[in-house]
Amino acid sequence: MKKPLTYITILLIIQAIIFLTIQAIAFKLAAETTIIQNRTMDQAIKAVIIMIMGVIWLLTWKKLGEKIYQKYQAKYP
Amino acid sequence: MINIDIAIKIISISILTIIISIVLTKYMIKIFRKYNVYGEDIFKLNRPKIPKNIGLSFIISIIIATTLLSASNILSWNITTAITTAMIITAIIGLIDEHLDPPGYFKPLAMLAAGIPIIILKCYTPYIRIILFGGFNIPILYPIFILIAMSVTSNMVNMLDVINGSAVWGAMISTIAGLIAGIIINSESAVVIAITILASIIGPALYNTYPAKGFLGNAGSLALGTSIGILAIIGRIEVPMVIATLPFIHNSFYFLTYAKSFIEHKKLNVQITRLNQRGEIEDAKNRNAPITLLRLLVAQKPLTEKEALKQIVTLFIITGILSIITAILIKVRI
């Protein structure tokens, strides 16, 4: 069985890629789209979109980390 | 860009700062030992008492360094004032937390204040550079982002200060990554601030690395995080710094998702990791404990503190490299 360090490294690389991808998509969409004319509201809506992306990112992170830990827990009850 | 004359001044000030940082740290260890300001090293079999709060030397060194840089016309007065004020605020919050034992939400809430000087003195550009596409202008949201970022960065470093050297090495490697990212992105302020942080960190790094002769204390570890936040915001390398600090984020995230509120390690009343009879750190196998970075690292087999530190350093080196790749991707436009 591989060391936890290997799995954590893979996890962090995956998270970095997801973060950069989500961010690029979110920012690109937000930068090129005006959702509504009111500037403040427009920015607030964009912030909500970014936050949703962030939540997805964090949920993925949580699930993957727990999976790694459970792998070792099963081996060492 | 930085010319030779400025480079010589920066190098001279950095050397002076390194000396100040080492001498101050050594002096603080003596002083705190004399006045019995101790912390217990729980991951040693004999649980030695180690002088704490040596991280204050980092705060003093960085204030001296930025003042000298300002006097040499390398850093503007407003950046210098913002850094100095943010560091003083952090030191006060850290010392209050250390000695008055306030509730768990105190640190995250109070550390928002470290961002205020940056906002008031307008030391930021509300434009986040992202990979491949350029960036995004967020003038209204950016000041809010600054407040949150300062609280997050300072607390995440503080939360990984669990074994000898983990916080200081994490902050140091992240800053090196920030320095290289700054060079790639052509951010003069990022380069100058990163060099200043690195020069100021040498003293605490020498004495806090395993086996520690001094503990950073809350003021020190929070200040390391504040400096990372300052580097990201004033240096305009927000995205590369997020990547560089992923191990810090990982640790805090798992702790907070478990605790579901801002709570101190010591007040959690759940043992996460423990020292076994061979002097190794092992998983406490407590179902209710959060899966922190250290717990995950020792999940397979117990590790010595030195081995655990090496693995944490390895993770930071990897995320540091990813951060540099991110900076290169920021330069690329499609």
Side-chain angles (χ1 to χ4, degrees):
Chain A
M1 194 180 227
K2 285 188 176 72
K3 279 199 283 186
L5 179 67
T6 313
Y7 289 114
I8 302 170
T9 304
I10 296 166
L11 168 66
L12 292 182
I13 293 171
I14 291 170
Q15 288 312 309
I17 293 168
I18 295 176
F19 172 69
L20 292 173
T21 311
I22 287 177
Q23 188 197 54
I25 294 166
F27 276 65
K28 183 76 176 166
L29 279 173
E32 289 188 349
T33 319
T34 305
I35 301 165
I36 48 173
Q37 289 306 316
N38 184 314
R39 197 159 170 266
T40 312
M41 284 302 290
D42 189 55
Q43 285 208 357
I45 292 168
K46 285 169 184 172
V48 171
I49 295 169
I50 294 163
M51 269 185 225
I52 292 168
M53 301 269 195
V55 169
I56 295 167
W57 177 52
L58 292 174
L59 282 174
T60 321
W61 200 335
K62 189 170 183 277
K63 290 286 164 208
L64 286 174
E66 282 170 355
K67 270 203 163 73
I68 295 171
Y69 184 74
Q70 278 159 11
K71 226 180 170 75
Y72 295 104
Q73 280 288 84
K75 195 104 175 162
Y76 300 91
Chain B
M1 213 41 213
I2 296 169
N3 62 38
I4 293 175
D5 185 41
I6 293 174
I8 291 169
K9 281 182 185 172
I10 294 172
I11 292 167
S12 311
I13 292 169
S14 300
I15 293 169
L16 185 65
T17 308
I18 291 170
I19 296 166
I20 291 170
S21 168
I22 295 170
V23 172
L24 261 178
T25 312
K26 209 172 172 181
Y27 182 71
M28 280 181 176
I29 289 173
K30 271 187 186 171
I31 292 285
F32 292 134
R33 187 174 287 141
K34 191 178 171 187
Y35 291 100
N36 294 327
V37 184
Y38 288 119
E40 206 173 76
D41 198 343
I42 57 161
F43 288 130
K44 305 279 187 307
L45 282 172
N46 57 346
R47 294 172 85 97
K49 286 187 171 171
I50 308 285
K52 64 178 179 181
N53 285 337
I54 65 159
L56 289 171
S57 70
F58 170 73
I59 298 172
I60 298 168
S61 305
I62 206 166
I63 290 174
I64 293 171
T66 46
T67 308
L68 290 173
L69 288 165
S70 180
S72 311
N73 293 321
I74 296 166
L75 271 185
S76 65
W77 73 269
N78 57 335
I79 291 179
T80 306
T81 313
I83 295 174
T84 305
T85 318
M87 283 296 162
I88 292 169
I89 290 170
T90 308
I92 294 167
I93 293 167
L95 290 172
I96 290 174
D97 191 67
E98 192 90 52
H99 300 287
L100 301 181
D101 208 18
Y105 59 79
F106 170 75
K107 259 188 295 183
L109 202 65
M111 280 311 298
L112 294 170
I116 295 172
I118 301 173
I119 299 169
I120 291 175
L121 294 162
K122 297 196 187 319
C123 301
Y124 65 93
T125 312
Y127 183 86
I128 295 183
R129 292 158 154 164
I130 61 160
I131 58 162
L132 306 171
F133 302 118
F136 193 72
N137 201 26
I138 43 168
I140 297 166
L141 290 174
Y142 202 87
I144 302 165
F145 166 77
I146 292 173
L147 296 178
I148 297 167
M150 295 305 285
S151 177
V152 169
T153 55
S154 54
N155 281 286
M156 72 183 186
V157 176
N158 179 256
M159 288 169 95
L160 194 61
D161 191 17
V162 285
I163 58 169
N164 293 177
S166 55
V168 79
W169 275 91
M172 199 154 70
I173 297 165
S174 303
T175 308
I176 293 170
L179 170 66
I180 300 169
I183 294 168
I184 294 166
I185 299 175
N186 290 331
S187 171
E188 205 172 296
S189 52
V191 173
V192 175
I193 293 169
I195 291 173
T196 311
I197 295 169
L198 288 171
S200 310
I201 223 171
I202 299 291
L206 279 176
Y207 292 96
N208 184 247
T209 304
Y210 178 89
K213 292 181 183 68
F215 287 149
L216 295 174
N218 278 339
S221 56
L222 285 171
L224 290 176
T226 300
S227 67
I228 287 177
I230 288 169
L231 173 62
I233 293 160
I234 302 178
R236 300 186 62 202
I237 47 169
E238 301 91 343
V239 177
M241 286 312 286
V242 169
I243 303 296
T245 55
L246 278 177
F248 281 130
I249 301 170
H250 177 96
N251 183 62
S252 317
F253 172 61
Y254 275 91
F255 187 85
L256 293 175
T257 48
Y258 162 78
K260 291 188 174 63
S261 66
F262 294 109
I263 190 167
E264 290 280 338
H265 264 102
K266 56 191 174 195
K267 289 178 187 165
L268 201 60
N269 291 327
V270 174
Q271 197 176 25
I272 305 170
T273 48
R274 64 185 171 213
L275 199 67
N276 65 19
Q277 287 175 336
R278 293 186 302 275
E280 297 164 325
I281 302 166
E282 65 177 19
D283 185 359
K285 301 257 190 291
N286 194 331
R287 279 179 181 274
N288 299 320
I291 311 167
T292 58
L293 188 61
L294 184 61
R295 188 184 185 194
L296 204 49
L297 286 171
V298 298
Q300 187 187 31
K301 61 173 186 150
L303 297 173
T304 63
E305 195 176 2
K306 198 176 178 181
E307 285 168 343
L309 176 63
K310 273 185 188 171
Q311 296 200 1
I312 290 174
V313 167
T314 308
L315 282 175
F316 275 104
I317 292 172
I318 291 161
T319 51
I321 294 167
L322 288 177
S323 149
I324 294 163
I325 296 169
T326 307
I328 295 167
L329 288 174
I330 287 173
K331 281 289 273 186
V332 177
R333 295 284 165 88
I334 55 168

